[in-house]
Amino acid sequence: MARRMLVAWVPDWPVISGIAEAQLPPHEPAAVISANKVIACNEAARADGVRRGMRRRDAQARCPALHLLSGNTEREARDFEPVLACVEELSPGVAPLRPGLIALHSPARFYGGEAEAAAVIAEKLVGSGIWDCRFGVADNLFTAEQAARRAPQQDCLIVPEGGAPAFLHDFDIRTLDNPELTDLLWRMGVRTLGGLAALPAGDVLARFGADGARLHRLAAGRDDARLAVRQPPPDLICQADFEPPLESTEAVAFSVRRLTERFVDQVGSRNLVCTRVVIEAESNGEVVSSRLWAHARWFRADDLVDRVHWQLGARAGESSLPGPVSAVRLIPEALEPDVIHADGLWGNADTSQVERGVAKVQALLGYEAVLTPVLQGGRSPAARQAGVPWGERADHLRPRDLPWPGSIPPPAPARVFAEPWPAVVLGADGHPTQVTERGVVTSEPALFHPRVEVNHTPHLAEVAAWAGPWPVEETWWEAGRTRLSRFQVVGMDGRAWLMACVGDQWFTEASYD
């Protein structure tokens, strides 16, 4: 039988962390703002009508005394570390879901019951200064989280075994964290989790794909998510001392190979893999270089050697250090069970040779010379592109789920030019088409050429169809700002282009193949 899940929730943690950093009284109304919207607020702010998702000015209108705080996920995670440590003193194997929310397998047998276990953890957290903590216990992670969010302060809501479907039945469909799909289901008349669970699983999979099938399982109380348990034992910290100290990057990278092999062996002996590691270098007893590295999968010994080389020789061709290195230390920041990354039952394609080949190229050309293309949020196709160094996780990207006013609708263009092409677009009267300050087109595009060469008269083609404009309003408060509007233009040959009008100039940014 699967083990029961216990979830501990500290409400409004981003606000708690922000108030602590700003040294504000905890009883005053405060809210965390991101992209001009409230993403979290405390009870004092909610009492004055402030709600999540509310615009900044609306929140300030409801509560003039509202303290506005900036969101900082790194600060929130750092401040939440003592809370994790408190819970780990009572029950090892804690999985941090996000700052303010943690999960673990219910230690009911050890403490004499599920309610008793939650009470012991609550007492520990209250003793450390966390007054508002709530707990939920259920058969699976999703149901336990929903129970914790509905539990009274310093109390636990227990969903009996097998009772997840009945508990979730009347929940709003938008409880599921997938706004695009839940909004569609709402418009189709599926308003509750019970309504979604009642649909045939095969039909949901065929209509909504893998995401829909996953949400169907959650609604039916069949969440199969496993905990990524945090297990950072301090004895896994490995250090190599150099006597005499080494004075070149190449010598340090060569000398740490046995250290990296020992580190990987120690982690592997506990059936774990390291996905985030801190590398520190000392000189004359002081840490002169420290950096947190993350891996898209997990670190092998060769990967760690490469990171040491890149960290100490940050620029291509640099081989000398500012000071002699007397020690290098590897500190595991995030460890995961190796079963999470194990091969499937029928095996996986062996990509290790490809990974090592790319890593060798990266070692020759430099850490940031080999990039993995990823998508991020942005208004233009070029702004949505980002390059992440090979082997790193795609963190600190602009979120894709924001509205991004002025962005073009799908489908995205197939080819985005590194530098926009100078272009020309004319109306039927032969004058350039422009866009007024109110976003009105002065004349419909009739003739165009996507690329105008210097000292060449372009052969204009007729416009078969066009769409737009999509104006981009950035820094609208500044005098002399440049107006930009994007258009989709199709020629008589059937080729489609994404073009931009900047003042009275036209450019081609991308093409639809």
Side-chain angles (χ1 to χ4, degrees):
M1 183 175 63
R3 298 178 62 182
R4 301 262 286 171
M5 296 287 186
L6 185 150
V7 169
W9 178 45
V10 182
D12 312 326
W13 182 258
V15 182
I16 296 174
S17 176
I19 285 178
E21 182 182 56
Q23 298 182 348
L24 297 173
H27 62 275
E28 294 191 4
V32 175
I33 302 294
S34 178
N36 266 335
K37 287 188 176 182
V38 176
I39 61 174
C41 58
N42 59 7
E43 186 61 36
R46 285 192 291 271
D48 288 338
V50 180
R51 295 291 183 269
R52 287 183 56 190
M54 186 176 289
R55 292 182 299 179
R56 176 204 295 260
R57 63 183 181 183
D58 294 336
Q60 289 178 308
R62 296 281 184 90
C63 180
L66 183 68
H67 294 283
L68 301 181
L69 308 171
S70 60
N72 187 322
T73 55
E74 293 183 0
R75 178 199 67 211
E76 295 161 11
R78 182 179 63 250
D79 293 347
F80 197 60
E81 188 69 23
V83 181
L84 293 173
C86 279
V87 179
E88 284 177 330
E89 291 179 5
L90 300 174
S91 179
V94 174
L97 303 179
R98 54 185 170 274
L101 191 68
I102 58 178
L104 64 154
H105 293 292
S106 175
R109 181 177 300 179
F110 184 80
Y111 290 105
E114 293 173 337
E116 290 77 5
V120 171
I121 298 175
E123 182 180 4
K124 182 73 172 180
L125 293 180
V126 171
S128 66
I130 307 299
W131 290 94
D132 191 356
C133 51
R134 306 163 190 236
F135 304 86
V137 180
D139 293 336
N140 57 72
L141 184 59
F142 175 74
T143 308
E145 179 181 345
Q146 301 310 313
R149 292 183 179 277
R150 286 154 181 81
Q153 183 176 338
Q154 298 179 17
D155 203 347
C156 178
L157 178 58
I158 299 176
V159 180
E161 293 187 20
F167 175 73
L168 298 172
H169 186 274
D170 294 329
F171 280 36
D172 193 301
I173 189 69
R174 289 168 291 195
T175 304
L176 299 170
D177 188 16
N178 191 323
E180 183 177 354
L181 188 50
T182 55
D183 287 347
L184 175 59
L185 290 168
W186 181 273
R187 294 194 300 270
M188 295 176 64
V190 181
R191 304 295 174 85
T192 64
L193 298 188
L196 176 59
L199 299 176
D203 293 346
V204 174
L205 176 61
R207 176 62 178 84
F208 302 108
D211 282 346
R214 182 180 64 84
L215 298 186
H216 185 267
R217 291 195 299 271
L218 295 181
R222 298 196 305 270
D223 181 14
D224 52 3
R226 292 181 294 181
L227 294 183
V229 176
R230 189 181 91 130
Q231 298 179 4
D235 60 331
L236 292 183
I237 298 175
C238 291
Q239 178 171 322
D241 300 305
F242 306 125
E243 184 60 40
L246 304 178
E247 298 184 355
S248 73
T249 301
E250 298 297 337
V252 175
F254 178 80
S255 302
V256 298
R257 182 165 295 276
R258 293 187 61 184
L259 169 69
T260 61
E261 293 174 351
R262 176 159 55 94
F263 176 83
V264 172
D265 289 343
Q266 282 189 176
V267 172
S269 66
R270 291 167 171 79
N271 298 319
L272 301 171
V273 291
C274 181
T275 58
R276 291 163 63 92
V277 64
V278 175
I279 300 178
E280 294 182 348
E282 287 188 2
S283 179
N284 297 323
E286 296 183 358
V287 177
V288 295
S289 177
S290 177
R291 177 168 178 177
L292 172 64
W293 295 90
H295 199 286
R297 298 182 68 193
W298 70 90
F299 284 106
R300 300 181 178 89
D302 290 339
D303 299 325
L304 293 169
V305 172
D306 289 340
R307 267 59 175 186
V308 172
H309 186 273
W310 296 333
Q311 180 172 325
L312 299 182
R315 296 184 298 272
E318 182 181 352
S319 59
S320 299
L321 299 170
V325 176
S326 57
V328 171
R329 186 160 44 250
L330 304 178
I331 305 172
E333 180 72 14
L335 300 171
E336 298 179 359
D338 56 5
V339 296
I340 296 178
H341 300 277
D343 290 343
L345 179 62
W346 309 111
N348 294 338
D350 185 9
T351 60
S352 59
Q353 293 184 351
V354 175
E355 293 175 0
R356 290 309 309 157
V358 175
K360 288 181 180 179
V361 175
Q362 194 175 34
L364 292 173
L365 301 181
Y367 168 62
E368 296 184 351
V370 182
L371 303 177
T372 302
V374 295
L375 285 176
Q376 63 178 351
R379 293 181 173 85
S380 68
R384 295 183 64 206
Q385 300 179 89
V388 178
W390 171 265
E392 284 287 298
R393 295 189 178 184
D395 297 329
H396 309 296
L397 299 179
R398 291 191 294 268
R400 297 167 56 186
D401 54 353
L402 295 181
W404 296 109
S407 59
I408 61 172
R415 181 185 177 193
V416 180
F417 307 129
E419 294 291 337
W421 297 346
V424 59
V425 177
L426 305 178
D429 56 1
H431 292 90
T433 298
Q434 298 182 22
V435 181
T436 67
E437 291 186 357
R438 294 183 174 274
V440 177
V441 179
T442 58
S443 60
E444 293 191 6
L447 300 172
F448 82 109
H449 196 284
R451 186 168 190 174
V452 178
E453 302 289 347
V454 179
N455 299 326
H456 284 79
T457 302
H459 177 69
L460 300 180
E462 294 185 18
V463 175
W466 63 278
W470 288 279
V472 177
E473 294 289 344
E474 294 179 316
T475 62
W476 52 266
W477 56 89
E478 295 182 359
R481 69 186 187 279
T482 301
R483 300 191 307 273
L484 184 148
S485 299
R486 291 189 171 86
F487 290 76
Q488 292 170 334
V489 179
V490 181
M492 298 300 293
D493 58 357
R495 298 189 64 183
W497 308 88
L498 177 65
M499 308 183 74
C501 177
V502 184
D504 58 352
Q505 301 292 321
W506 280 84
F507 299 91
T508 302
E509 295 184 329
S511 66
Y512 296 85
D513 295 338

